[in-house]
Amino acid sequence: AAASGNNSSGNAGEDNLLRGAHTTRAALQEQATEADLVAALRETPNCGALYQNLAQLREAVGRGQEPVALPDGQHLGTARELYLEALQRDPSLALAFYGLAGQLQHEGPGATVTLRDGRVLNQRNLLLEALHCNAQLADAYNQLGMVLQQHGDKKVKLKDGRTMAKNRLFKEAIRLAPGNLNAYCNLSQQLQVGESVLLLDGRTLVKTKNLPVATGGTTTTTTTSSYGPRTTIAGTT
């Protein structure tokens, strides 16, 4: 039979033990995944995608600024350095350019990064390179639209020759990834309440109050950047 009386301290102890067990398992899984990537680099040290994936993993778990020991004895201190290593080995890695653009997001409008080949690129140019490598990268269109908005620019010319205004960039992000909630919100911020906009897939987006409503689509909460956590669905229409 269960003991009577106040057992809140016991429950708290059990809760702490459970939380500790979950944390330990999560940490072991994270270490195993990172260990797998490092082991793979030992076998194929010139594979740029492995450096890119390792950078993305460490950023995702909040360890992008911590050093990581590589099989060749290098100690790369940040996710940025891993992205740079990735591009040195494979300059066609769109997500590495995109990851570097994310690194510059909070460093001010004049922030740049120097690639191993000597090129000095700002956030806009990194995103243009990302789209040049992969024209289907929806988040890069969304983020490039944000860069235009932050700098007060009306249009940008992509490396494939297309010229896009920020609204078209947001629409392109939605076309490529209809679940890209950040792009819906960013597009809605360009509208006055009651205004509508025609999406590239033929749907009409109407702004009601502070939420965008896509006909037959999704209503989302307010957000901007693609680099941070995704927003949650607020409702559907």
Side-chain angles (χ1 to χ4, degrees):
S4 60
N6 187 343
N7 62 356
S8 60
S9 61
N11 290 338
E14 291 175 3
D15 290 344
N16 287 334
L17 286 173
L18 288 172
R19 281 195 294 271
H22 290 310
T23 300
T24 301
R25 283 197 294 271
L28 288 174
Q29 290 170 356
E30 172 197 324
Q31 290 170 7
T33 304
E34 183 171 314
D36 289 343
L37 290 172
V38 173
L41 281 170
R42 185 177 294 110
E43 300 297 324
T44 53
N46 290 319
C47 180
L50 290 173
Y51 289 92
Q52 172 186 270
N53 293 346
L54 185 55
Q56 289 180 305
L57 170 66
R58 293 178 70 82
E59 283 191 307
V61 297
R63 298 176 58 194
Q65 301 303 315
E66 297 180 17
V68 56
L70 300 181
D72 61 1
Q74 289 188 83
H75 284 75
L76 297 180
T78 64
R80 178 179 300 192
E81 291 174 347
L82 289 168
Y83 284 131
L84 290 172
E85 289 290 325
L87 289 171
Q88 182 179 14
R89 287 160 174 78
D90 186 351
S92 69
L93 292 172
L95 290 176
F97 283 112
Y98 181 78
L100 284 173
Q103 294 276 317
L104 298 184
Q105 184 182 13
H106 302 295
E107 296 186 12
T112 61
V113 62
T114 302
L115 303 188
R116 298 284 196 252
D117 62 10
R119 285 182 294 165
V120 180
L121 302 180
N122 59 18
Q123 189 181 19
R124 177 194 305 236
N125 290 330
L126 288 165
L127 291 168
L128 289 173
E129 289 292 337
L131 289 170
H132 181 60
C133 296
N134 182 3
Q136 305 300 307
L137 190 56
D139 279 342
Y141 287 101
N142 178 61
Q143 202 61 34
L144 186 55
M146 283 298 302
V147 170
L148 290 188
Q149 182 165 306
Q150 291 163 0
H151 290 266
D153 298 329
K154 293 183 178 180
K155 296 181 180 180
V156 63
K157 186 173 183 179
L158 277 60
K159 298 190 75 173
D160 62 8
R162 290 179 295 166
T163 298
M164 293 190 179
K166 60 179 181 291
N167 282 13
R168 177 57 189 266
L169 290 165
F170 297 141
K171 290 181 184 180
E172 192 70 18
I174 292 169
R175 182 184 71 82
L176 292 168
N180 192 322
L181 306 185
N182 291 321
Y184 281 105
C185 290
N186 288 331
L187 183 56
S188 78
Q189 290 173 7
Q190 314 308 313
L191 306 176
Q192 299 296 322
V193 173
E195 277 190 300
S196 64
V197 63
L198 181 65
L199 301 183
L200 298 178
D201 61 8
R203 288 178 297 155
T204 298
L205 186 77
V206 182
K207 182 167 184 176
T208 61
K209 297 184 179 179
N210 292 321
L211 292 175
V213 179
T215 304
T218 301
T219 303
T220 63
T221 54
T222 302
T223 187
T224 53
S225 173
S226 298
Y227 299 118
R230 293 290 188 184
T231 54
T232 56
I233 295 175
T236 58
T237 60

